Amino acid sequence: MTVLAIETSCDETAVAILRGRDDRAAAELLASEVASQIAAHEKYGGIVPEIASRNHLLYAPQLLYRTASAAKIDLSDVDAFAATSGPGLASSLMIGASIAKGLAIGFGKPYLAINHLEGHLLSPFFGGADRDEEIRPNISLIVSGGHTMLVRVHALCDYQVVGRTVDDAAGEAFDKVAKMLGLGYPGGPEIEKLARDGDPNRFDLPRSMLGSENFSFSGLKTAVRYLLPKVVGRFCETPDQERRLTQTPYKLDDRVLADLCASFQQAIVDVVVTKTIAAAQKYDVDLVTVSGGVSCNQELRRQLHEACSRKGLEFKNAEPWLCTDNAAMIAFAALLRLRAGFESQVTEEIDPNLALV
Ligand code: KG4
Ligand code: ZN
């Protein structure tokens, strides 16, 4: 069974072709391509939806032919076509979904509408050594640019959201703080790089809502904003001056910048590790999984892994290339759903606010 998946939920255009085996031997990723649009949006300081969709229109057909050629298959040999149907930017989702639906109709094959969050959530199970793994009950932490969630996974398609962010997502906090510090986009990798040489205990930053299963990161972001004028040795005397100062990307001393990045990163890691372990204990599962762009962060992976080991919990994370947006995770979710007998109607609409459950 060969599945072709297209992911265009935000600013990455991605296509992947995955071949599943009838005997449940590990599925083979025949090709996976991602075209990043970071450069096109960087100068605007954020993603411009119309630019994103125009680029998807441009890149998706190119990636389609490039993946088919890398996989050495003809599109007519694909058994099912899948696309991310939400959540994401409406004008971006439409492009991938329309192409996948067109292919499914044209070749008379099934179409699968896949939830982007389910793609992330299942990704730690992808790439089993020799067999496709059963989706075992686990507590899944999804940390991306748009979402921060704790999900109780009972089995494939059987999920319960037990916690979510009430304001910014973890990745969004990384991106916004990086912007304040005058670093590039996406902010997570930039902060991680600088944090390597920093002291995570130098600045005392808040760990919000530790007693709840939900998350809040906007207080942390604000704390960094108000710390900045102080660490550059300037104090605000009037609200107007304060506004101006807090909006300026600061030129910080290298030591201060590294310590600030390390302290900020540690505050996020402390919060997500504490809540994930608490949820695993509360719901009595023996497996913790983590996915989404922020789970590329080595310090987060290391500390969550260590915390799981201390509590006797198994820990699974996806390879870093599978953590940021890609189509391989969408193809994997589609393959598991196809095997379980699911199929979507081509009349199914995209949904920018699609919920996981
Ligand atoms: O999953 P993803 O590619 O897109 C969404 O579905 O949102 O996640 C992108 C987010 C960005 O906010 C980016 O800053 C963050 O993941 N990110 C990281 C790292 N790599 C990417 N955050 C912290 N450390 C990293 N190494
Ligand atoms: Zn994502």
Side-chain angles (χ1 to χ4, degrees):
M1 181 133 51
T2 303
V3 178
L4 184 148
I6 307 178
E7 151 67 42
T8 58
S9 63
C10 191
D11 63 336
E12 249 106 27
T13 320
V15 179
I17 301 176
L18 182 69
R19 178 170 293 155
R21 313 267 183 84
D22 292 341
D23 58 0
R24 304 279 164 114
E28 186 187 357
L29 187 62
L30 301 182
S32 175
E33 298 261 350
V34 182
S36 166
Q37 301 183 15
I38 288 173
H41 300 272
E42 211 167 19
K43 57 176 176 283
Y44 301 101
I47 292 156
V48 184
E50 183 171 339
I51 295 179
S53 51
R54 282 169 184 259
N55 278 317
H56 288 315
L57 260 184
L58 192 68
Y59 296 144
Q62 295 173 11
L63 293 193
L64 202 55
Y65 287 108
R66 222 188 303 154
T67 43
S69 134
K72 299 192 177 56
I73 63 162
D74 195 272
L75 289 178
S76 60
D77 296 329
V78 171
D79 298 304
F81 294 92
T84 304
S85 61
L89 297 170
S91 51
S92 288
L93 290 163
M94 269 178 215
I95 310 285
S98 302
I99 294 175
K101 286 177 184 182
L103 290 166
I105 295 167
F107 290 113
K109 300 288 171 60
Y111 166 68
L112 284 106
I114 300 294
N115 186 312
H116 182 83
L117 295 169
E118 187 179 37
H120 278 306
L121 175 135
L122 297 175
S123 63
F125 291 90
F126 180 62
D130 48 13
R131 288 180 65 76
D132 278 348
E133 290 187 59
E134 283 294 314
I135 306 303
R136 287 160 43 206
N138 69 89
I139 280 292
S140 160
L141 169 69
I142 307 177
V143 269
S144 72
H147 298 88
T148 299
M149 278 185 169
L150 275 171
V151 183
R152 187 178 175 193
V153 175
H154 297 282
L156 179 70
C157 309
D158 187 359
Y159 314 124
Q160 176 193 355
V161 177
V162 297
R164 53 160 47 97
T165 180
V166 297
D167 41 55
D168 293 347
E172 197 178 352
F174 268 100
D175 296 336
K176 287 179 174 170
V177 165
K179 195 170 173 183
M180 276 183 229
L181 298 175
L183 306 175
Y185 177 87
E190 300 277 327
I191 289 183
E192 176 173 24
K193 208 171 2 160
L194 291 166
R196 275 189 209 123
D197 301 319
D199 173 5
N201 299 313
R202 167 123 180 232
F203 298 108
D204 185 19
L205 295 169
R207 275 80 170 147
S208 303
M209 293 175 71
L210 279 185
S212 158
E213 284 173 323
N214 286 330
F215 299 83
S216 166
F217 294 111
S218 88
L220 171 61
K221 176 191 69 188
T222 308
V224 174
R225 174 168 292 149
Y226 285 102
L227 185 65
L228 281 171
K230 297 180 185 143
V231 297
V232 289
R234 289 186 290 178
F235 290 88
C236 307
E237 279 153 19
T238 64
D240 199 45
Q241 189 185 13
E242 178 175 299
R243 204 171 311 114
R244 191 167 47 76
L245 282 176
T246 51
Q247 284 170 357
T248 312
Y250 288 93
K251 189 84 196 101
L252 295 176
D253 169 85
D254 285 352
R255 173 87 271 137
V256 172
L257 183 59
D259 292 348
L260 192 51
C261 287
S263 302
F264 166 77
Q265 178 176 277
Q266 190 57 46
I268 298 236
V269 171
D270 280 348
V271 168
V272 298
V273 169
T274 304
K275 286 172 187 282
T276 307
I277 299 293
Q281 292 184 314
K282 176 172 173 183
Y283 296 108
D284 197 23
V285 297
D286 57 8
L287 173 63
V288 165
T289 64
V290 63
S291 60
V294 181
S295 72
C296 288
N297 189 287
Q298 294 296 329
E299 224 20 62
L300 189 157
R301 293 159 87 94
R302 188 183 67 74
Q303 294 189 36
L304 187 53
H305 194 169
E306 271 179 20
C308 286
S309 303
R310 278 197 300 276
K311 301 289 179 191
L313 301 164
E314 190 186 337
F315 174 70
K316 252 185 201 307
N317 54 5
E319 292 292 313
W321 70 268
L322 206 58
C323 293
T324 48
D325 288 348
N326 65 86
M329 68 183 190
I330 304 299
F332 183 59
L335 177 68
L336 297 188
R337 279 186 165 260
L338 259 181
R339 280 179 177 159
F342 286 88
E343 201 181 302
S344 311
Q345 300 295 318
V346 284
T347 47
E348 192 166 316
E349 301 248 28
I350 52 112
D351 181 354
N353 301 311
L354 188 63
L356 182 64
V357 280

